[in-house]
Amino acid sequence: MAPSPPSSADLAAYRAGRLDLGRFEAIDAWIAAQSPEDQARLLEDEVDAPALNAIDIPIAGPAPTFVPEVGGAGRYRITGRLGAGGMGVVELATDQVLGREVALKRCRARRLEESVASHAARLRAFRREAAITAQLEHPGIVPVHDVGVAALGEPAFVMKRLDGEALEMLLERWNHGGQRPDLGRVVELMLRIAEAIAYAHRRGVVHRDLKPGNVIVGALGAVHVIDWGLAGMASGTPGGMPKPSGSLLATSGDANTTAGTYRLGTPAWMAPEQSGAVMPDPRMDVFALGGLLMALLCGHGPRADAGGPLELSPLARRGLPRGLVAVARRCLEADPRLRYDDAGAVAGELRQWLAAGLTQAERAGPLARLAARLRRSPRLLAAALGVLLAGAVAIGTATVQQTRVHAAALGELGELARALDVGDARSVQATRARVESILRAHPGLVEAQALMTRLRAVEDSFAALARLAEYRAHLSVLQQRYRISGPWPGEVTELLKVLERVGYPLAGDPVACAPRLREDQLCADVLGILVHLQRALLLDDLHSPLRQSIPRLIVAAAPSPGWSALGALLKDPLRDGHDLRLGGDPAAATALAEAATADLALATFAPEARLVRAAWERWHEDPAAFWPRLVAANDCLARSDWRTAERHALVALGSEPESLWPHRILAYVALADHDWAGVLQEAELGRVENPDHMELIVLSAIGLARTGRLAQAQALIDDCGRADLLQYHLQQGSHPLSRAVRGLLDAGVTIADVPPRLAPLVLRPPGL
């Protein structure tokens, strides 16, 4: 008896990994029995095939339909347009089931001049906006009611319709003579924005495009933060939230999508570091909150134009509250380390200002704090006047007995010590400058010398933390690079340079640094780079003496049995063409038992029984796991199980959309299906990340030749200069590249008659 089809809720739980093993395998078997087209539709979660001649539907024509997941295609009726941006169109619709007005946002269809890659990136960003917004249940974030597709198959979702206007319009009206609200109301409005962003930060979400145009202020005081299309997940993302899309770049509201240019934010409002390829960080939103606070206080943001430098001089205007100005300045620091850690800290400062008229950023002294309390308590004011009167008499007597200058210096030192925040670099820097001034006036003042010693120790700890963060970032970039682009020209040289930069040069006897590495906070990061380096040496450099010393260093510095076992596996593995194999080493079971070493083993060794079993266990625990899915897909590729390989590759692609590895597998599946356009498309998408990878070059040439561009295909093969490797694979049938080379000849491309030679899939450039 054929299994019954699963419900849409079961399919969603299957893709999210929330099913028990029995139900998961039942649905998995049902999907395997469907046609390839239905399988791709059921498993897709990030990228749809773009419509080649899609256009936006004009509002004057027939109203575009919306097909929700629940309720049918006729549930929502479009009645007008609310707005449009670079990525989507927002329309007014009527929910005919519940009888209410809603906002329907649909992704703009692909324009004629827009590239496939640009359109695919925009689709991914739109879907991620719906997924992230739907999981942020906060009064300050517009709720998502439903998801589905619009008339041309473009993704769309339904939200609550907001009554109000953008903060951008309010600022413009206030700046042109409109009546501004009182300062307390302004701070309350800013607090609502900060609280919404703080909630997102607690869920691991970074907005990355916070600006006045993305804040809606309602007539009754409600505040909503909208447009989460550029949102990303910070490191340490809590469970249940969507995983970040690697190096995905999404269009901003004014990005030129037809030319394929993308920005991670709006230049006039985004943090300086967002102009580079950096991971999402809550401090990016903290910078934008500072810009909004500055705009509410001064009438405009921190930059005069989109590409201009920071201009904070308006914050020095007389009459602005010192506490709020200090908060804005700290948020707008160019160095992220000097800003607040997240929006929750900013919200706390705003609450403190509303309650007491002071903020921590202001660094108010005891007298200023006392004055703030007195302003709010008449009884305390009367008591303070009495205390001051009595104190005046005492001080008058004391001044006769001591030197005024010395006493003033001691008093200032005491206040500096009490106000010092040893966790804040700005506080330490400002305190040190003042203590140096006191020491110049009083060189022998013991209290000043003691405080200076303390400040130097704190600054040394700041420098050590900064170096640690810098080194970890360098190591992380290289680890992510292999996941995205695979082996690359000059890989060994770059890995050695980064290891030397973080304090582990491998010249001489590398094992001598094992005790220091074992105690280092970067131990796991450095060991991961050593594993990648050993893999590259085993495949590309047969004569390097480091091939013997690196495994010994990993074993000697191993913080756990898994690392020690992985080092033993890398000592003398079996080489099979372009792959490394585990062989019969009993250490494999120990290495595969720990998550960190298991992922490295899956990324390093070719699929075989133990690895495939470990991958199966891992992706059943986490269906979106990247390396386990790739190992399973490569195993299916070797067994010509094309449909299962395709399914695993699609899931891996959803986890890492920019990686060449899933595109390589999908290109081989398309080759088996004789889908020549698919072969070319997948191979070219992989070559975006690594244009020198021979498998992708050969697959691209097959796609070109089979789609009527034989001369272009021949030129591609001739220009790569790898005829010796291609001749080798004509005689070897175990690697997928051998199948591709035979397909190349069948497509009419000729290969120069040279002696066959096994060489790396990506050759190092001369001199490396």
Side-chain angles (χ1 to χ4, degrees):
M1 180 176 178
S4 60
S7 66
S8 59
D10 279 345
L11 286 173
Y14 170 87
R15 290 191 293 266
R18 297 194 300 268
L19 296 173
D20 60 73
L21 183 59
R23 185 58 178 156
F24 182 95
E25 291 180 336
I27 295 179
D28 195 60
W30 182 84
I31 292 177
Q34 309 306 306
S35 67
E37 294 77 14
D38 287 340
Q39 288 183 31
R41 175 180 56 78
L42 291 166
L43 289 171
E44 66 179 1
D45 62 352
E46 283 289 337
V47 180
D48 283 343
L52 295 180
N53 293 305
I55 59 172
D56 280 333
I57 300 177
I59 191 61
T65 61
F66 174 86
V67 182
E69 291 186 346
V70 178
R75 177 171 178 175
Y76 299 101
R77 180 171 56 85
I78 305 302
T79 58
R81 176 172 290 197
L82 296 175
M87 189 164 60
V89 176
V90 182
E91 293 162 317
L92 180 63
T94 299
D95 183 342
Q96 299 187 99
V97 173
L98 298 178
R100 61 179 178 182
E101 286 191 334
V102 294
L104 188 151
K105 184 170 183 178
R106 59 182 175 87
C107 186
R108 283 188 180 275
R110 180 183 167 219
R111 301 181 179 87
L112 292 175
E113 68 275 18
E114 186 179 14
S115 69
V116 172
S118 172
H119 181 241
R122 188 156 55 79
L123 285 172
R124 290 196 297 272
F126 187 91
R127 283 191 172 89
R128 291 179 68 252
E129 177 186 4
I132 289 175
T133 308
Q135 297 186 61
L136 296 178
E137 299 179 358
H138 186 273
I141 300 173
V142 59
V144 172
H145 296 326
D146 206 348
V147 295
V149 294
L152 299 179
E154 66 269 37
F157 58 94
V158 175
M159 306 174 291
K160 173 184 177 180
R161 183 196 175 183
L162 300 179
D163 290 321
E165 63 181 322
L167 180 59
E168 182 179 32
M169 302 302 296
L170 289 176
L171 288 172
E172 182 175 352
R173 188 164 66 249
W174 294 344
N175 290 338
H176 287 79
Q179 183 179 0
R180 298 180 63 88
D182 62 86
L183 186 60
R185 171 62 183 132
V186 167
V187 178
E188 287 178 354
L189 185 146
M190 188 67 212
L191 176 58
R192 298 289 86 78
I193 300 171
E195 286 176 337
I197 298 299
Y199 171 81
H201 287 177
R202 289 195 297 273
R203 300 298 306 277
V205 178
V206 182
H207 190 285
R208 294 198 289 188
D209 195 21
L210 191 57
K211 57 186 178 181
N214 285 342
V215 176
I216 302 298
V217 180
L220 299 179
V223 177
H224 288 86
V225 179
I226 63 171
D227 199 351
W228 295 78
L230 300 189
M233 305 302 297
S235 61
T237 299
M241 291 299 290
K243 193 176 187 296
S245 302
S247 56
L248 172 65
L249 299 181
T251 56
S252 68
D254 56 355
N256 181 0
T257 59
T258 60
T261 58
Y262 298 90
R263 288 195 288 261
L264 282 176
T266 301
W269 297 91
M270 70 185 189
E273 65 269 21
Q274 286 182 248
S275 60
V278 295
M279 295 296 290
D281 189 320
R283 291 173 292 187
M284 296 174 178
D285 288 348
V286 169
F287 182 94
L289 287 172
L292 292 179
L293 180 55
M294 178 178 174
L296 289 169
L297 293 175
C298 306
H300 57 81
R303 294 185 178 93
D305 53 67
L310 292 179
E311 179 53 59
L312 305 185
S313 58
L315 288 172
R317 188 185 307 161
R318 296 185 62 181
L320 295 179
R322 292 178 56 188
L324 297 178
V325 168
V327 170
R329 286 187 180 277
R330 182 170 176 183
C331 291
L332 292 168
E333 287 284 355
D335 185 349
R337 295 171 297 180
L338 301 181
R339 302 176 200 150
Y340 297 100
D341 290 338
D342 56 28
V346 179
E349 289 276 52
L350 296 173
R351 292 190 198 96
Q352 185 171 340
W353 188 90
L354 287 171
L358 296 173
T359 62
Q360 293 292 330
E362 184 179 355
R363 307 288 176 201
L367 293 179
R369 295 180 182 277
L370 178 60
R373 293 185 62 189
L374 291 176
R375 286 195 298 270
R376 286 164 171 76
S377 175
R379 291 183 180 179
L380 186 59
L381 178 60
L385 290 175
V387 172
L388 287 174
L389 182 60
V393 176
I395 291 174
T397 303
T399 53
V400 176
Q401 301 172 359
Q402 60 183 338
T403 304
R404 290 183 178 180
V405 175
H406 186 78
L410 288 175
E412 185 174 1
L413 284 171
E415 185 174 339
L416 288 172
R418 287 189 296 273
L420 175 63
D421 182 356
V422 294
D424 186 341
R426 290 185 55 193
S427 174
V428 173
Q429 183 180 6
T431 303
R432 174 170 179 164
R434 189 62 201 132
V435 173
E436 287 176 344
S437 175
I438 293 174
L439 278 173
R440 285 194 294 269
H442 307 279
L445 196 57
V446 176
E447 292 83 355
Q449 294 170 350
L451 184 54
M452 180 59 72
T453 300
R454 180 186 174 195
L455 291 170
R456 287 172 181 154
V458 173
E459 288 181 333
D460 289 344
S461 69
F462 281 154
L465 289 174
R467 284 194 301 273
L468 178 65
E470 177 188 358
Y471 291 166
R472 179 161 283 141
H474 289 312
L475 297 170
S476 177
V477 165
L478 285 186
Q479 289 173 338
Q480 183 70 2
R481 182 169 179 180
Y482 182 74
R483 182 181 170 102
I484 296 296
S485 62
W488 67 90
E491 180 181 9
V492 171
T493 301
E494 287 193 44
L495 293 172
L496 288 171
K497 284 182 179 179
V498 168
L499 286 170
E500 182 175 2
R501 185 170 186 177
V502 301
Y504 294 97
L506 299 186
D509 181 14
V511 183
C513 67
R516 177 167 60 90
L517 176 57
R518 192 184 307 112
E519 302 300 324
D520 196 334
Q521 296 184 57
L522 294 172
C523 179
D525 303 271
V526 173
L527 290 177
I529 294 299
L530 288 172
V531 172
H532 285 302
L533 176 59
Q534 179 70 355
R535 175 199 52 76
L537 291 173
L538 289 169
L539 291 175
D540 299 349
D541 193 342
L542 301 178
H543 306 293
S544 172
L546 291 176
R547 293 178 53 179
Q548 300 301 319
S549 57
I550 288 177
R552 291 191 292 115
L553 173 57
I554 294 174
V555 172
S560 69
W563 282 108
S564 181
L566 184 57
L569 291 173
L570 290 169
K571 188 174 182 179
D572 193 20
L574 301 175
R575 180 178 177 181
D576 181 10
H578 301 293
D579 298 317
L580 299 177
R581 297 197 176 274
L582 285 173
D585 199 318
T590 305
L592 294 173
E594 296 182 17
T597 53
D599 274 354
L600 283 170
L602 294 175
T604 302
F605 295 99
E608 54 185 80
R610 284 177 295 179
L611 276 177
V612 173
R613 178 63 186 174
W616 186 89
E617 293 174 352
R618 292 294 307 284
W619 67 258
H620 274 75
E621 295 173 359
D622 179 10
F626 182 74
W627 288 116
R629 284 289 187 174
L630 279 183
V631 168
N634 280 313
D635 177 58
C636 294
L637 212 61
R639 294 186 287 104
S640 300
D641 185 357
W642 309 115
R643 300 282 70 84
T644 308
E646 180 182 38
R647 195 161 69 249
H648 287 306
L650 287 171
V651 177
L653 189 64
S655 176
E656 198 68 81
E658 301 303 317
S659 174
L660 66 80
W661 298 113
H663 290 301
R664 167 188 169 273
I665 293 169
L666 292 173
Y668 277 120
V669 172
L671 179 64
D673 293 340
H674 292 175
D675 177 8
W676 311 121
V679 172
L680 179 60
Q681 175 179 321
E682 297 297 340
E684 287 299 305
L685 287 172
R687 290 188 67 206
V688 169
E689 297 299 335
N690 192 339
D692 300 311
H693 199 285
M694 272 308 297
E695 286 185 90
L696 298 176
I697 290 174
V698 171
L699 290 165
S700 289
I702 293 173
L704 289 169
R706 290 292 191 176
T707 55
R709 289 168 280 185
L710 179 59
Q712 189 175 346
Q714 186 67 58
L716 180 61
I717 294 300
D718 293 342
D719 290 345
C720 74
R722 303 296 300 280
D724 53 352
L725 177 61
L726 300 182
Q727 290 289 353
Y728 170 84
H729 278 283
L730 280 176
Q731 303 175 17
Q732 302 292 326
S734 60
H735 194 276
L737 182 55
S738 300
R739 180 193 299 269
V741 173
R742 290 192 294 271
L744 188 67
L745 293 177
D746 292 342
V749 179
T750 60
I751 301 173
D753 187 11
V754 298
R757 183 175 70 94
L758 175 64
L761 287 174
V762 180
L763 283 181
R764 292 178 295 176
L768 292 179

